[in-house]
Amino acid sequence: MTELIAVAIITILAVISPGADFAMVTRNSYLYGRRAGLLVASGIALGVQVHVMYTMLGVGLLIAKSPSLYFAIKIIGAVYLIYIGYQTFFARAVVSTEVDAGQSLNNLAALRAGFMTNAFNPKTTLFVLSTYTQVVQLDTSLLAQFGYGLFMSFAHWIWFSLVALFFSDHRLRAGMLRQQVILNRFIGAVLIVLGVSLASLPALHS
């Protein structure tokens, strides 16, 4: 029970702390609407499972002991965020302020945006790996470990779905779209800064 409480608290704190996932959900929710935002949230939840699976399979220890592998993960994640940030920063105001007539984003692209953002986020690597190595005990059953992983994904999905619902609210989204040039500059800059900061994260220590 103590282990479960510790995992729950760490997960909730990690989920609600602003970062690349939050910025990506916000961006797609206000630009493309509720469906896109919710799909990004689902992609993020799926991305968490990538970290959980390789950690449970022992690959997380390989990442921790391999500076070059960890560096590659950081760079892929950083380049992706910087690329999306650049696109957002220099995007023209092309989404209609008429919310129902707004530009759409196909489902796969929205899901992929969330998945890529989280799967290659070294902060999530640190979160999942440290939780499983520092909190979860060696004698914890595989079923319980799998359950913890599902809880982590579920917590991410719930939180970022709420974020998507908030930023895709009809009135709020309409107001944000009227200021989309300014918002694109801000969110684009945030994504670029996050990408640079992720690339500069210190190496993992086993």
Side-chain angles (χ1 to χ4, degrees):
M1 182 61 67
T2 302
E3 184 179 275
L4 175 60
I5 293 173
V7 170
I9 292 174
I10 293 172
T11 299
I12 292 171
L13 292 176
V15 168
I16 65 176
S17 61
D21 293 336
F22 186 91
M24 191 63 68
V25 173
T26 301
R27 172 189 183 273
N28 287 280
S29 297
Y30 104 81
L31 281 177
Y32 304 113
R34 181 164 299 174
R35 176 185 291 273
L38 291 174
L39 283 168
V40 172
S42 298
I44 289 170
L46 290 175
V48 173
Q49 282 303 300
V50 173
H51 302 283
V52 171
M53 289 298 103
Y54 69 60
T55 298
M56 288 184 61
L57 292 172
V59 180
L61 295 178
L62 175 62
I63 294 173
K65 295 179 179 179
S66 175
S68 59
L69 183 57
Y70 181 64
F71 178 76
I73 293 175
K74 289 199 300 181
I75 294 304
I76 292 173
V79 168
Y80 181 73
L81 287 180
I82 292 171
Y83 170 71
I84 298 297
Y86 177 86
Q87 283 193 321
T88 303
F89 189 91
F90 290 102
R92 297 180 179 180
V94 295
V95 180
S96 172
T97 54
E98 295 296 328
V99 176
D100 293 334
Q103 184 180 356
S104 63
L105 182 68
N106 72 69
N107 294 345
L108 181 59
L111 192 69
R112 183 175 61 242
F115 179 81
M116 289 286 291
T117 300
N118 189 275
F120 290 101
N121 187 341
K123 284 190 174 181
T124 309
T125 299
L126 291 169
F127 152 60
V128 175
L129 186 55
S130 62
T131 299
Y132 274 84
T133 56
Q134 304 298 323
V135 178
V136 179
Q137 303 300 310
L138 292 175
D139 58 352
T140 300
S141 68
L142 286 177
L143 182 62
Q145 292 185 44
F146 185 69
Y148 294 155
L150 288 179
F151 172 77
M152 291 175 180
S153 284
F154 183 72
H156 279 75
W157 179 70
I158 287 293
W159 171 251
F160 289 113
S161 292
L162 291 175
V163 173
L165 291 174
F166 177 78
F167 284 104
S168 63
D169 174 78
H170 184 87
R171 287 173 296 181
L172 178 61
R173 185 180 174 221
M176 294 175 74
L177 287 176
R178 284 192 288 270
Q179 303 296 327
Q180 64 185 279
V181 173
I182 296 174
L183 283 170
N184 282 345
R185 298 291 188 271
F186 176 74
I187 294 176
V190 168
L191 288 169
I192 291 171
V193 169
L194 286 170
V196 172
S197 65
L198 289 179
S200 60
L201 279 175
L204 282 168
H205 297 286
S206 57

